[in-house]
Amino acid sequence: MSAWRLIGLMAAWVLAAIAIAVVTSIVLTEFLVVVGLIDWATPQYAWAINGFALVAFLVVVSVPLVFRSRFVEPAAEHTDE
């Protein structure tokens, strides 16, 4: 696999991770509002949105790095194809 293709795929993965993190943080924060743990007009709302987004982004963006050994064949690790 060429270096440019790998860079493009990683950039696409990072953009997808951002989108997933934003949607996840909004859903989880709104759930906390519905339950009554936080109010949307308080600073805790922004903290919850940002915290959930950061955690979700880090988890999703790290998937290719954490599970790399499961997706790459041992014989193909050192080839340039």
Side-chain angles (χ1 to χ4, degrees):
M1 184 177 293
S2 71
W4 288 110
R5 185 172 178 196
L6 243 122
I7 291 169
L9 289 173
M10 192 60 195
W13 185 259
V14 169
L15 291 175
I18 291 169
I20 291 168
V22 167
V23 171
T24 303
S25 67
I26 291 170
V27 169
L28 291 175
T29 305
E30 289 302 321
F31 176 74
L32 292 178
V33 170
V34 169
V35 171
L37 293 176
I38 61 172
D39 187 22
W40 66 271
T42 62
Q44 287 81 11
Y45 185 84
W47 279 94
I49 287 270
N50 293 333
F52 285 138
L54 179 65
V55 169
F57 174 74
L58 291 176
V59 167
V60 175
V61 86
S62 69
V63 166
L65 303 172
V66 172
F67 293 112
R68 182 179 184 274
S69 63
R70 295 186 110 183
F71 299 126
V72 176
E73 296 178 20
E77 282 185 10
H78 301 292
T79 62
D80 195 26
E81 292 184 29

